[in-house]
């Protein structure tokens, strides 16, 4: 099935350079189409990419959002020995089909060739590797290599900077990403329930430092690496540093919001 409308998706990476905002109103506050965004914490079956892709597809359909963000390694679980997931893996077909039907861009987590912990960009047109995690945990570094550059996606005129878990705790990552010119800092993370406050602290720091929306999809349930109880509580924070919308702690929960220019506020949905 063809997508209802084309996903406008451009990737900006390769150089850290300031990017000027374009004021389309010629002197007034910038006006743009609101961005419907969802952060989702889907149920996850360890190492079962096919089952997890189906769960992602169901979440995309339910979210009715333009941009859907999933947690770190959401397609495999936090299983550091998981085989890499290729962009042409037929098990991802249900997710591609769901994105086509919804006109959505999904950001899903998976290990990819390299070896890297990555964020896959999934649209109705297929799958690409959008971003490779730049800051790795100690256990991750025994297998994976860090990515070497920040990435910004342009989605319908909204510039979305990407991050994965530990990236959000490194001020230099947000600094380098924001230097490319962003409206939203979108992250897929995994924290234990006992460390749930870490996500809040990092989100608040990023929003107040860079005056951007922050959207975090946080793993819920249990997964490998000793995460018997993950934090969940995926959320969205305003450019003023305030918590805007929040999911609970259970797998399958999500929140969807409408992001608008800072002067115009936003809307939950």
């Amino acid at each position: 099935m063809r997508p209802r409308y084309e996903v406008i998706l451009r990737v900006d990476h390769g150089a850290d350079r300031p990017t000027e905002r374009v004021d389309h109103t010629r002197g007034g506050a910038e006006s743009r189409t609101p961005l419907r965004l969802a952060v989702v914490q889907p149920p996850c079956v360890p190492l079962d990419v096919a089952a997890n892709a189906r769960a992602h597809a169901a979440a995309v359909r339910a979210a009715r959002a333009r941009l859907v963000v999933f947690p770190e390694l959401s397609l495999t679980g936090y299983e550091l020995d998981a085989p890499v997931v290729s962009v042409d893996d037929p098990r991802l077909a249900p997710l591609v089909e769901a994105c086509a039907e919804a006109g959505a861009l999904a950001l899903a987590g998976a290990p990819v060739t390299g070896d890297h912990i990555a964020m896959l960009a999934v649209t109705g047109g297929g799958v690409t590797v959008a971003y490779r995690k730049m800051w790795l945990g100690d256990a991750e570094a025994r297998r994976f290599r860090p990515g070497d550059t920040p990435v910004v996606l342009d989605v319908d005129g909204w510039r979305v900077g990407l991050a994965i878990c530990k990236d959000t705790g490194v001020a230099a990552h947000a600094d380098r990403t924001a230097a490319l010119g962003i409206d939203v800092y979108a992250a897929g993370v995994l924290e234990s329930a006992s460390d749930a406050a870490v996500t809040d602290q990092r989100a608040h720091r990023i929003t107040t430092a860079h005056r951007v929306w922050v959207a975090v999809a946080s793993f819920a349930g249990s997964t490998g690496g000793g995460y018997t109880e993950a934090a969940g509580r995926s959320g969205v924070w305003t450019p003023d540093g305030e918590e805007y919308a929040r999911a609970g702690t259970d797998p399958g929960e999500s929140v969807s919001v409408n992001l608008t220019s800072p002067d115009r506020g936003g809307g939950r949905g």
Side-chain angles (χ1 to χ4, degrees):
M1 179 179 296
R2 293 180 61 83
R4 293 187 305 180
Y5 52 89
E6 289 297 320
V7 174
I8 300 174
L9 174 62
R10 295 190 297 277
V11 180
D12 189 353
H13 59 213
D16 296 322
R17 59 186 184 280
T19 301
E20 295 183 359
R21 291 292 165 76
V22 177
D23 184 353
H24 298 291
T25 63
R26 298 185 182 277
E30 183 180 0
S31 177
R32 74 182 89 193
T33 302
L35 177 65
R36 179 76 170 174
L37 177 148
V39 287
V40 182
Q41 47 199 52
C44 181
V45 180
L47 301 174
D48 193 336
V49 174
N52 295 330
R54 291 192 295 270
H56 281 52
V60 165
R61 291 188 173 97
R64 301 177 65 84
R66 187 75 168 95
L67 178 64
V68 185
V69 186
F70 291 96
E72 179 178 26
L73 292 175
S74 59
L75 286 167
T76 59
Y78 192 75
E79 311 294 335
L80 299 183
D81 59 349
V84 298
V85 178
S86 66
V87 296
D88 58 357
D89 191 318
R91 294 174 295 179
L92 300 180
L95 180 53
V96 172
E97 292 168 4
C99 289
E101 293 172 14
L105 163 62
L107 298 174
V112 300
T113 300
D115 278 323
H116 297 282
I117 294 174
M119 209 178 249
L120 301 180
V122 185
T123 72
V127 183
T128 59
V129 177
Y131 172 70
R132 296 164 176 84
K133 186 176 183 178
M134 295 177 67
W135 272 269
L136 301 174
D138 292 342
E140 296 166 358
R142 289 196 283 271
R143 171 186 171 182
F144 294 103
R145 298 171 52 226
D148 58 7
T149 185
V151 170
V152 176
L153 303 183
D154 188 315
V155 184
D156 300 344
W158 287 81
R159 292 180 61 79
V160 182
L162 306 184
I164 300 174
C165 207
K166 189 175 180 179
D167 292 334
T168 65
V170 179
H173 183 272
D175 292 346
R176 292 178 63 188
T177 304
L180 296 172
I182 63 173
D183 305 294
V184 184
Y185 186 88
V189 310
L190 166 63
E191 297 288 351
S192 64
S194 61
D195 290 329
V198 170
T199 297
D200 300 67
Q201 294 163 0
R202 293 176 177 180
H204 186 267
R205 173 180 54 76
I206 294 164
T207 60
T208 55
H210 301 291
R211 307 291 290 180
V212 296
W213 292 93
V214 171
V216 178
S218 177
F219 206 104
S222 62
T223 189
Y227 290 89
T228 56
E229 186 181 2
R233 291 181 55 76
S234 300
V236 178
W237 287 259
T238 73
D240 294 324
E242 297 181 358
E243 181 184 303
Y244 187 64
R246 206 63 180 266
T249 59
D250 293 333
E253 295 194 42
S254 66
V255 293
S256 298
V257 299
N258 291 322
L259 305 188
T260 59
S261 298
D263 60 300
R264 296 166 58 195
R268 296 174 180 83

